């Protein structure tokens, strides 16, 4: 397979005279951008993939039926088979008999005409238009519908059909996602080719043209067919038909017998590579379907246990599609894999109810899992609920369910033991209280103690560490806990990698150096996360530590290393590593191309353009991001900061006013706009007062208001805001700095020195304003 690149955003540009004058400010913006934006992209490129004549072709699932009738029959009713279908009387489950659905004052109509299916609903401009249904998605518990817009775009409607309740419903009933919003069904987030097709179709090729913003997508089978997992079947069919050897030998290196399901050692890893890409939250490193059974890390970068994706204790929060939860479990550690519980063809469970679990968890055990506790589990003596009740089901306690897309219940695959007090500490859901809603965590913990008096809860967990880091920031104590967790090889690799992710933006050089051994950890997740620790290190140290990872065996790690070394001159690398840098940068460009149709992909393109000092490309990328998603605040902010740094505050102000118009009340925009106005001699505090009134709970905007008032000399008003902040977060770094500044400006030098001392104890690596830095040096 050959990949051809066509650069569209240009290489690193030479600075103009004005840009050179503004270089320090621009580089500061670039540093901030690369700290906050870390998707794997470099410059906007287009990719053309040429398939090799030596590769066997796809033949379609219907061809498999002749020899594999039982497997095909099981598959034909599966979710995989229903992943995408053309609309027919058999496949369309929704009511298209002139049905009407009203949502937020808009009435949509679903109807048929001449054997085709249509919807009348609001278009991108907000006006009612009629669209033909091109495809149907899914079978239970809901079915979605795709329509085709201009430039080949397939879009998923926000109105779906409840196949159980037999009703139309809106996927965002309480949110404002009307026309003009980035989450409207016509927007980039609902684009099928960008977001869904790679997992809903077989051998999908996106073929996105970033210049025309158009798609010319192709695929070998409309839905998830046999070859999506088993690979292209042409050679296998030729072998099965007893074709001459010459016919099959043209496919060099291809096993004509087809892929055989593994057993024993290696089975779990192979199934993780096969099932994981579509059953995980991850970033694709390429635009098209990866070869079946290819190594996960060569084609995807797995999302970690990040805030808003997972609760602090690792429970699923957002749609994370199972793999990240499963990687935390004891079952994964012991070698359990997908097909131990799921039939690979029907997708259903291998047994009914608790029998799925008791095939292993019983008094005799199972030979392939020798560490199992041998005892009766499917009995009241274990589950302590009425037999046959919901509470007596293993999954109710150990795999709590959470609804997505309003009605689609999905079970957590962490397989955790309920711990109500831990859930209370971390602010995570608890299986007991979820059912016994009128009770407390203390009550639930007391019940469990009666059932299992010898059970000892762990002294601490990574859930508590992550909860602390997210609530109050990473102070010295939390940093020590994160470092210990990252080093603890007994913990799940995904948790260790998340610890590195949590500390990455605040870790200093000494911390990074103390964790340098993790750059060669056996887990690719840990190696990849450890790379980011070196983002703020001096260039020589960064090059020295990271250049060996340009040759890492896993693509996601090589790309992460290339991301951090993208602005390093080749001559600064050892000669033997320069080719590796060039190759890794090529992979970085390819991974960027896969995400050029994502708003967040454009945000990352801009971040990398900043890191490589390509200001024009950065502005273009951030502008493209705001075009794709007007609610992407980060892109608006970066556009304004670059314009201001290039000496055009009027343009920066205009950008922020446009941003505020599209995102009324956003506190981050208000904060930046206020600072920009203040720099131009205008009243910036007024914007912040408005934002604080609208969002009194937002400490960040109140911090900005207090700072603005201090700058204008209104110490009394600033003091009022600071007092509120001290009551909410007395040890927060920004609050302590504001308190010290107020004391200093009020003439209370001794008080300011005492506050500075406290800052040094709690936040030893915090850079202080010049006035306070001078105080810290006084004896």
């Amino acid at each position: 397979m050959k990949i051809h690149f066509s650069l569209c955003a240009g290489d690193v540009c030479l600075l103009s005279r004005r840009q050179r004058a503004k270089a320090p400010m621009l580089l500061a913006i670039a540093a901030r951008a690369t700290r906050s934006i870390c998707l794997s992209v470099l410059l906007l490129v287009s990719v053309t993939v040429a398939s090799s004549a030596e590769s066997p072709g796809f033949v379609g699932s219907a061809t498999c039926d002749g020899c594999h009738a039982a497997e095909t029959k099981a598959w034909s009713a599966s979710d995989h088979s229903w992943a995408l279908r053309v609309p027919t009387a058999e496949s369309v489950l929704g009511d298209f008999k002139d049905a009407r659905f009203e949502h937020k004052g808009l009435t949509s109509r679903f109807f048929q005409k001449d054997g085709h299916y249509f919807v009348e609903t609001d278009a991108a401009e907000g006006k009612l238009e009629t669209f033909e249904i091109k495809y149907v998605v899914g079978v239970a518990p809901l079915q979605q519908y795709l329509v085709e817009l201009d430039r080949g775009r397939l879009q998923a409607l926000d109105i779906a059909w409840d196949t159980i309740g037999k009703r139309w419903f809106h996927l965002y009933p309480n949110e404002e996602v009307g026309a003009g919003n980035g989450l409207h069904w016509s927007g980039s987030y609902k684009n099928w080719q960008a977001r869904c097709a790679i997992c809903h179709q077989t051998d999908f090729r996106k073929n996105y043209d970033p210049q025309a913003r158009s798609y010319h997508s192709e695929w070998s089978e409309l839905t998830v067919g046999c070859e999506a997992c088993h690979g292209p079947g042409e050679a296998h069919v030729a072998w099965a038909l007893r074709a001459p050897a010459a016919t099959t030998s043209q496919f060099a290196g291809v096993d004509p017998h087809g892929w055989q399901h593994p057993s024993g050692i290696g089975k779990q890893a192979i199934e993780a590579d096969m099932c994981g890409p579509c059953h995980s939250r991850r970033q694709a490193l390429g635009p098209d379907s990866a070869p079946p059974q290819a190594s996960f890390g060569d084609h995807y970068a797995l999302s970690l246990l990040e805030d808003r994706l997972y609760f602090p204790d690792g429970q699923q929060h957002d749609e994370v599609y199972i793999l990240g939860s499963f990687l935390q479990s004891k079952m994964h550690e012991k070698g359990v894999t997908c097909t131990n519980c799921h039939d690979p063809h029907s997708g259903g469970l291998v047994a009914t109810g608790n029998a799925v679990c008791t095939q292993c968890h019983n008094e005799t055990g199972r030979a392939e899992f020798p560490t199992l506790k041998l005892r009766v589990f499917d009995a009241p003596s274990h589950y302590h609920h009425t037999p046959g009740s919901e509470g007596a089901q293993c999954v109710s306690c150990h795999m709590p369910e959470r609804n997505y897309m309003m009605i689609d219940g999905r079970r957590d695959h962490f397989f955790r033991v309920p711990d109500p007090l831990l859930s209370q500490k971390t602010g995570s859901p608890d299986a007991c209280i979820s059912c016994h809603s009128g009770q407390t965590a203390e009550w639930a913990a007391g019940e469990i103690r009666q059932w299992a008096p010898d059970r000892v809860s762990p002294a601490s967990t990574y859930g508590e560490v992550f909860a602390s880091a997210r609530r109050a920031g990473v102070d010295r104590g939390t940093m020590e806990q994160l470092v210990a967790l990252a080093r603890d090889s007994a913990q799940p690799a995904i948790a260790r990698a998340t610890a590195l992710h949590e500390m990455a933006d605040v870790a200093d050089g000494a911390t990074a150096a103390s964790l340098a051994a993790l750059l060669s950890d056996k887990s690719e997740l840990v190696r990849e996360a450890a790379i980011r620790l070196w983002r703020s290190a001096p260039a020589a140290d960064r090059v020295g530590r990271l250049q060996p990872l340009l040759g890492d065996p896993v693509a996601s790690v090589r790309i992460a290393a290339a991301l951090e070394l993208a602005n390093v001159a080749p001559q600064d690398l050892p000669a033997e590593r320069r080719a590796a840098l060039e190759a890794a940068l090529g992979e970085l460009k390819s991974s960027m191309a896969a995400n050029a149709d994502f708003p967040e992909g454009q945000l990352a393109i801009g971040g990398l353009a900043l890191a490589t000092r390509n200001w024009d490309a950065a502005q273009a990328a951030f502008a493209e991001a705001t075009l794709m998603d007007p609610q992407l605040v980060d892109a608006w902010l970066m556009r304004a900061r670059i314009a201001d740094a290039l000496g055009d505050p009027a343009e920066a102000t205009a950008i922020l006013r446009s941003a505020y118009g599209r995102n009324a009340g956003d506190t981050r925009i208000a904060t930046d706009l206020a600072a920009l106005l203040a720099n131009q001699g205008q009243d910036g505090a007024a914007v912040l007062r408005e934002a604080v009134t609208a969002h009194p709970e937002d400490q960040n905007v109140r911090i900005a208001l207090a700072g603005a008032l201090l700058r204008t000399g209104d110490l009394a008003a600033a003091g009022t805001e600071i007092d509120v902040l001290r009551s909410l977060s007395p040890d927060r770094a920004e609050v302590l700095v504001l308190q010290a500044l107020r004391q200093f400006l009020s003439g209370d030098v001794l008080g300011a020195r005492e506050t500075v001392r406290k800052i040094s104890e709690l936040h030893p690596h915090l850079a202080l304003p010049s006035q306070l830095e001078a105080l810290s040096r006084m004896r």
Side-chain angles (χ1 to χ4, degrees):
M1 181 169 65
K2 299 179 180 178
I3 299 179
H4 308 283
F5 289 94
S6 169
L7 292 180
C8 325
D11 291 309
V12 177
C13 67
L14 296 176
L15 299 181
S16 67
R17 182 176 302 171
R18 185 180 70 174
Q19 290 170 337
R20 284 196 294 271
K22 292 289 184 178
M25 189 182 302
L26 287 164
L27 292 177
I29 293 174
R32 290 197 297 271
T34 52
R35 283 195 295 269
S36 62
I37 305 168
C38 57
L39 290 177
S40 300
V41 294
L42 182 62
L43 295 171
L44 186 57
V45 301
S46 62
V47 176
T48 303
V49 179
S51 61
S52 170
E54 294 302 315
S55 300
F58 288 77
V59 297
S61 298
T63 304
C64 306
D65 187 32
C67 296
H68 305 283
E71 292 82 0
T72 304
K73 182 178 179 180
W75 164 82
S76 64
S78 70
D79 286 352
H80 285 163
S81 174
W82 278 88
L84 189 67
R85 292 188 175 187
V86 295
T88 65
E90 292 73 29
S91 65
V92 174
L93 305 179
D95 180 3
F96 279 80
K97 298 176 181 177
D98 204 35
R100 298 171 191 270
F101 175 77
E102 192 274 334
H103 177 71
K104 293 186 180 295
L106 175 75
T107 299
S108 299
R109 184 168 66 98
F110 298 85
F111 62 97
Q112 299 180 53
K113 183 178 179 181
D114 299 328
H116 296 270
Y117 297 82
F118 297 88
V119 59
E120 182 184 55
T121 192
D122 60 329
E125 297 76 19
K127 297 180 181 179
L128 285 176
E129 291 187 24
T130 297
F131 304 92
E132 182 177 359
I133 302 299
K134 289 292 186 180
Y135 301 103
V136 301
V137 184
V139 60
L142 70 152
Q143 186 173 77
Q144 285 187 274
Y145 301 91
L146 303 185
V147 302
E148 186 172 2
L149 300 185
D150 62 327
R151 294 171 279 134
R153 293 181 297 145
L154 291 172
Q155 302 288 138
L157 295 174
D158 284 333
I159 304 171
W161 178 253
D162 179 349
T163 62
I164 308 300
K166 307 300 181 185
R167 65 186 179 96
W168 291 105
F169 70 100
H170 202 283
L171 293 169
Y172 302 90
N174 303 315
E175 299 180 48
E176 295 298 331
V177 294
N181 188 289
L183 287 173
H184 187 255
W185 71 266
S186 62
S188 61
Y189 294 110
K190 305 303 170 59
N191 177 261
W192 177 262
Q193 292 100 321
R195 305 283 171 174
C196 316
I198 198 171
C199 284
H200 279 255
Q201 299 183 249
T202 301
D203 186 32
F204 175 76
R205 285 146 278 150
K206 187 192 297 186
N207 297 336
Y208 177 66
D209 181 344
Q211 283 76 40
R213 302 189 184 100
S214 64
Y215 293 91
H216 303 279
S217 302
E218 300 174 288
W219 49 84
S220 292
E221 186 166 2
L222 185 65
T223 193
V224 179
C226 307
E227 293 163 295
C229 300
H230 292 285
E234 183 181 9
H236 176 69
V237 170
W239 167 83
L241 296 175
R242 302 297 190 270
T247 303
T248 56
S249 64
Q250 63 179 301
F251 306 116
V254 173
D255 176 10
H257 299 275
W259 177 75
Q260 302 297 315
H261 198 286
S263 61
I265 297 174
K267 176 180 177 181
Q268 185 190 68
I270 290 176
E271 291 192 8
D273 287 337
M274 178 179 294
C275 308
C278 291
H279 294 274
S280 65
R281 187 71 169 255
R282 80 292 183 276
Q283 176 199 345
L285 303 181
D288 306 331
S289 296
Q293 308 139 47
S295 173
F296 184 99
D298 282 340
H299 297 276
Y300 305 93
L302 183 68
S303 295
L304 301 178
L305 310 179
E306 300 169 32
D307 193 19
R308 294 184 296 277
L309 295 184
Y310 295 83
F311 288 101
D313 65 351
Q315 288 189 67
Q316 62 185 22
H317 187 187
D318 202 359
E319 288 186 275
V320 292
Y321 310 104
I322 304 311
L323 180 62
S325 300
F326 182 57
L327 292 179
Q328 303 172 67
S329 69
K330 284 289 184 183
M331 292 176 71
H332 176 265
E333 178 187 331
K334 300 300 183 182
V336 174
T337 189
C338 310
T339 55
N340 287 130
C341 302
H342 296 274
D343 179 88
H345 296 106
S346 72
L349 295 169
V350 298
T352 303
N354 287 350
V356 177
C357 305
T358 58
Q359 63 176 321
C360 298
H361 297 283
N362 55 57
E363 64 272 32
T364 59
R366 183 167 171 170
E368 61 190 290
F369 304 120
T371 61
L372 284 165
K373 294 181 180 179
L374 306 182
R375 52 180 288 197
V376 175
F377 289 89
D378 191 11
S381 59
H382 176 73
Y383 52 66
H384 299 280
H385 287 75
T386 304
S389 69
E390 189 71 20
Q393 301 302 305
C394 305
V395 294
S396 295
C397 296
H398 300 292
M399 297 181 69
E401 190 174 59
R402 191 173 182 85
N403 274 3
Y404 301 98
M405 303 182 79
M406 298 301 298
I407 62 172
D408 190 2
R410 302 178 198 170
R411 295 198 176 275
D412 197 308
H413 280 54
F414 191 126
F415 306 101
R416 68 185 65 242
V417 175
D419 191 332
L421 296 180
L422 174 61
S423 296
Q424 186 178 58
K425 287 180 185 177
T426 62
S428 304
D430 172 60
C432 304
I433 304 305
S434 295
C435 289
H436 300 278
S437 56
Q439 299 292 350
T440 65
E442 288 75 15
W443 168 84
E447 293 294 304
I448 293 174
R449 277 195 297 271
Q450 292 182 43
W451 304 341
D454 297 330
R455 180 174 178 264
V456 179
S457 296
S460 65
T461 68
Y462 59 75
E464 293 174 85
V465 179
F466 295 155
S468 175
R470 292 166 189 176
R471 285 172 182 160
V474 181
D475 57 19
R476 177 182 290 178
T478 306
M479 177 67 82
E480 291 175 353
Q481 291 176 302
L482 290 170
V483 167
L485 172 57
R487 287 175 172 157
D488 187 356
S489 59
Q491 295 291 338
I494 193 170
R496 298 172 60 214
T498 304
L500 294 168
H501 174 82
E502 291 287 339
M503 72 175 84
D505 289 339
V506 294
D508 59 11
T511 302
S514 72
L515 295 170
L518 299 185
L519 292 171
S520 56
D521 193 87
K522 67 178 182 179
S523 166
E524 64 198 58
L525 294 178
V526 174
R527 296 198 304 276
E528 183 181 343
I531 287 170
R532 193 177 172 192
L533 293 179
W534 297 89
R535 177 162 292 174
S536 300
D541 293 344
R542 183 158 39 96
V543 169
R545 295 290 188 179
L546 300 186
Q547 50 92 6
L549 286 102
L550 294 170
D552 193 274
V554 178
S556 61
V557 179
R558 296 193 299 270
I559 288 171
L563 177 68
E564 304 305 335
L565 298 175
N567 59 353
V568 172
Q571 59 268 26
D572 292 337
L573 284 174
E576 66 274 13
R577 292 290 181 187
R578 293 170 191 170
L581 175 60
E582 183 178 357
L585 287 174
E587 292 181 299
L588 184 58
K589 294 173 185 178
S590 293
S591 72
M592 182 281 307
N595 298 295
D597 52 345
F598 286 48
E600 59 271 39
Q602 291 292 336
L603 189 67
I605 291 168
L608 260 296
L610 281 179
T612 54
R613 309 184 188 187
N614 191 339
W615 322 125
D616 293 337
Q619 278 286 39
F622 293 134
E624 183 74 6
T626 58
L627 178 67
M628 290 180 171
D629 177 12
Q631 283 70 52
L632 194 56
V633 171
D634 285 328
W636 288 107
L637 296 179
M638 293 309 301
R639 287 179 63 189
R641 290 169 186 173
I642 295 171
D644 186 44
L646 291 174
D648 196 345
E651 173 65 11
T653 302
I655 289 171
L656 289 181
R657 290 198 184 280
S658 295
Y660 206 63
R662 302 301 294 267
N663 301 272
D666 186 271
T667 56
R668 290 192 295 159
I669 297 174
T671 301
D672 272 30
L673 179 57
L676 194 58
L677 292 171
N679 289 340
Q680 298 173 71
Q682 302 178 51
D683 184 9
V687 177
L688 294 170
R689 286 193 186 94
E690 178 184 337
V692 167
T693 300
H695 302 279
E697 78 290 346
D698 192 316
Q699 294 185 35
N700 292 326
V701 73
R702 196 180 292 274
I703 286 170
L705 175 58
L709 293 169
L710 286 176
R711 285 193 297 273
T712 60
D714 192 345
L715 301 185
T720 299
E721 302 301 332
I722 293 169
D723 288 342
V724 173
L725 289 164
R726 291 178 65 196
S727 69
L728 296 172
S729 299
D731 293 334
R732 182 170 172 171
E734 300 96 318
V735 175
L736 289 170
V737 169
L738 288 170
Q739 170 69 357
L741 285 171
R742 177 178 66 164
Q743 292 168 321
F744 179 79
L745 294 172
S746 302
D748 183 7
V749 177
L750 290 178
R753 287 180 62 188
E754 181 61 25
T755 304
V756 168
R757 183 192 62 77
K758 186 175 182 180
I759 294 171
S760 298
E761 291 178 354
L762 294 176
H763 310 281
H765 307 300
L766 185 69
L768 296 173
S770 57
Q771 309 98 310
L772 303 184
E773 182 65 35
L775 287 178
S776 70
R777 294 193 295 268
M778 295 175 62
R779 298 292 182 185

